[in-house]
């Protein structure tokens, strides 16, 4: 019969606490102070959607001063800025696909998922309304507030695949740089912003590049462009889940090959 030492019991208690309170994105403490965290998610998603949507409206006007590439950069820069600003408060998910992916891999408590998702969807709606107001109401007619729809000739299956793949890219970067202690902390906001820009560069001409159910939901609801909304709500979640499980089960446990010692 064996007995555990006091240090063994201490390690077990620490492990139990880690399971109950997993480390969140950007050093946040998920599931604590939920009202504050949900408010941060509303604010962050509001800024993200406002930045991209307002820029898309400006690019779509007859007197446009922006190139379309500015829309991509607006989303990427806004995400990087919000990650640096709010990451320590809520984890700065700003995306239901990110929240659900973290919950599935036990890096975020399920009890906090509904509050985060509702906050993100609300932030998307508020951001779209604000962008509409910025351009005195014309944004709804110019580009339907940048509501995402498949390009002409793009089928539902192709659009679903593209949105899933680009969200896979985003979530793979997010879950790596913002949860793995081996990654320098200061790199995370820049990396996730660059990942979002890359994803939209890839998907923009095909699907509009939502990469985020909340980003698709806000403009679609406010502009009334809801025909393909289901696709943009489901496909990013599928891609995000695949990325999270892949990193958690296969990539994170690995380490670089050890150097060969000279004899």
């Amino acid at each position: 019969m064996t007995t555990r030492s006091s240090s063994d019991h201490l390690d077990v208690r620490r492990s139990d606490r880690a399971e109950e309170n997993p480390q969140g994105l950007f050093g946040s403490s998920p599931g604590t102070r939920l009202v504050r965290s949900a408010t941060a998610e509303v604010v962050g998603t509001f800024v993200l959607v406002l930045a991209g949507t307002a820029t898309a409206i400006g690019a779509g006007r007859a007197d446009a001063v922006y190139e379309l590439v500015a829309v991509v950069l607006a989303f990427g820069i806004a995400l990087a800025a919000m990650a640096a600003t709010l990451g320590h408060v809520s984890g700065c998910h700003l995306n239901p696909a990110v929240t659900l992916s973290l919950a599935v891999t036990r890096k975020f408590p399920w009890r906090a998922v509904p509050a985060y998702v509702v906050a993100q969807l609300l932030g998307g709606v508020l951001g779209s309304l604000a962008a509409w107001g910025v351009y005195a109401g014309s944004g709804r007619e110019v580009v339907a507030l940048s509501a995402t729809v498949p390009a002409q000739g793009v089928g539902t299956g192709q659009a679903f695949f593209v949105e899933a793949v680009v969200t896979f890219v985003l979530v793979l970067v997010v879950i790596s740089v913002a949860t793995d202690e081996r990654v320098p902390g200061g790199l995370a906001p820049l990396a996730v912003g660059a990942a979002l820009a890359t994803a939209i560069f890839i998907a923009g001409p095909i699907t509009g590049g939502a990469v985020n159910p909340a980003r698709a939901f806000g403009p679609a609801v406010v502009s009334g462009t809801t025909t393909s909304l289901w696709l943009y709500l489901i496909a990013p979640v599928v891609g995000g889940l695949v990325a999270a499980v892949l990193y958690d089960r296969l990539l994170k446990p690995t380490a670089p090959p050890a150097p060969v010692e000279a004899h």
Side-chain angles (χ1 to χ4, degrees):
M1 180 176 179
T2 59
T3 59
R4 288 186 177 180
S5 67
S6 60
S7 62
D8 290 336
H9 287 292
L10 181 59
D11 289 340
V12 170
R13 288 197 296 272
R14 285 175 177 170
S15 176
D16 291 341
R17 285 198 297 270
E19 284 294 325
E20 294 172 1
N21 300 293
Q23 181 68 33
L25 298 186
F26 308 106
S28 61
S29 300
T32 62
R33 299 182 181 179
L34 195 53
V35 172
R36 183 187 69 174
S37 297
T39 301
E41 288 294 298
V42 172
V43 173
T45 311
F46 166 82
V47 173
L48 176 67
V49 174
L50 170 61
T53 300
T55 306
I57 295 170
R61 288 161 59 99
D63 58 346
V65 295
Y66 298 135
E67 296 289 339
L68 289 179
V69 68
V71 179
V72 178
L73 296 178
F75 276 113
I77 292 170
L79 180 57
M82 288 300 97
T85 304
L86 300 174
H88 62 287
V89 179
S90 68
C92 199
H93 300 185
L94 313 189
N95 186 337
V98 172
T99 299
L100 290 168
S101 297
L102 291 170
V104 165
T105 52
R106 304 175 72 181
K107 293 180 174 62
F108 188 77
W110 279 104
R111 67 180 182 277
V113 168
Y116 266 56
V117 171
V118 170
Q120 292 154 3
L121 296 177
L122 176 60
V125 171
L126 294 177
S128 299
L129 288 171
W132 191 6
V134 165
Y135 279 92
S138 65
R140 198 167 187 268
E141 289 73 38
V142 174
V143 289
L145 295 172
S146 80
T148 47
V149 294
Q152 187 174 2
V154 174
T156 300
Q158 181 184 358
F160 192 102
F161 174 75
V162 170
E163 282 293 312
V165 166
V166 294
T167 309
F168 171 91
V169 173
L170 174 64
V171 173
L172 184 66
V173 173
V174 169
I175 204 167
S176 170
V177 302
T179 67
D180 196 325
E181 63 279 359
R182 294 172 295 181
V183 180
L187 179 65
L190 179 61
V192 298
L196 178 59
T198 299
I200 301 174
F201 270 126
I202 295 169
I206 304 168
T207 65
V211 207
N212 181 341
R215 177 264 181 271
F217 181 80
V221 169
V222 176
S223 69
T225 311
T226 58
T227 304
S228 301
L229 180 57
W230 70 269
L231 184 157
Y232 295 96
L233 297 180
I234 298 174
V237 172
V238 173
L241 291 177
V242 173
V245 172
L246 175 69
Y247 188 80
D248 187 63
R249 302 293 173 82
L250 181 63
L251 301 180
K252 185 176 182 178
T254 62
V260 179
E261 296 183 3
H263 295 287

